[in-house]
Amino acid sequence: MKGTSTSCRQQSRVLNEQEMKRGQQASDIDVAFLRKKCVEDLILFIQSLKAAGHAVVLGIDANETPEASTAKDGQAKAGSISYLFEQTELSEVFDLRHNQVPDSTTTTPGRFIDRVGVYGIPVQRVTLLRANEPAKSDHLGIAIDLDL
């Protein structure tokens, strides 16, 4: 989770701006806590959907590679996106269809940070679009054919 444009950093900035508008001193927000809390909340939400009998498709700009979410012992780090996938039994769509993941989902090599996981729904096809048009972005498009 690097840079100033991650969702956690954006949320921190919004909260600080709101506090300053109210004349309060800006908080020293722990963005690592916000990220971990987001993952915990997503786990609970996805588990509730599964318990209600729903299929789940989650697409997320994780801002972390699977390697960064894995500890030295090979286990997913608590609070990581890989941990979320494990805890909710989501299957990574590229692994599911191709038995491998792309090197990158951005225009920067080695940045497989955009993840799509599914539960309870067959994936027919998945591909990475090697273009970032019409939206100007450093992220590449992911196309998925789901069997609804």
Side-chain angles (χ1 to χ4, degrees), residues 61-107:
D61 174 359
N63 279 319
E64 72 181 10
T65 63
E67 294 79 20
S69 351
T70 306
K72 290 179 184 177
D73 64 3
Q75 298 296 312
K77 294 178 185 175
S80 70
I81 299 303
S82 292
Y83 181 77
L84 180 151
F85 275 48
E86 283 182 7
Q87 296 300 305
T88 58
E89 300 175 307
L90 290 177
S91 297
E92 166 59 55
V93 293
F94 288 102
D95 265 340
L96 198 61
R97 294 302 304 158
H98 304 294
N99 296 315
Q100 64 182 10
V101 297
D103 169 63
S104 185
T105 52
T106 72
T107 56

Side-chain angles (χ1 to χ4, degrees), residues 39-54 56 83-90 119:
V39 169
E40 290 170 358
D41 289 347
L42 278 171
I43 289 170
L44 292 174
F45 179 64
I46 291 168
Q47 287 173 337
S48 72
L49 291 172
K50 287 173 51 183
H54 294 283
V56 177
Y83 181 77
L84 180 151
F85 275 48
E86 283 182 7
Q87 296 300 305
T88 58
E89 300 175 307
L90 290 177
Y119 173 85

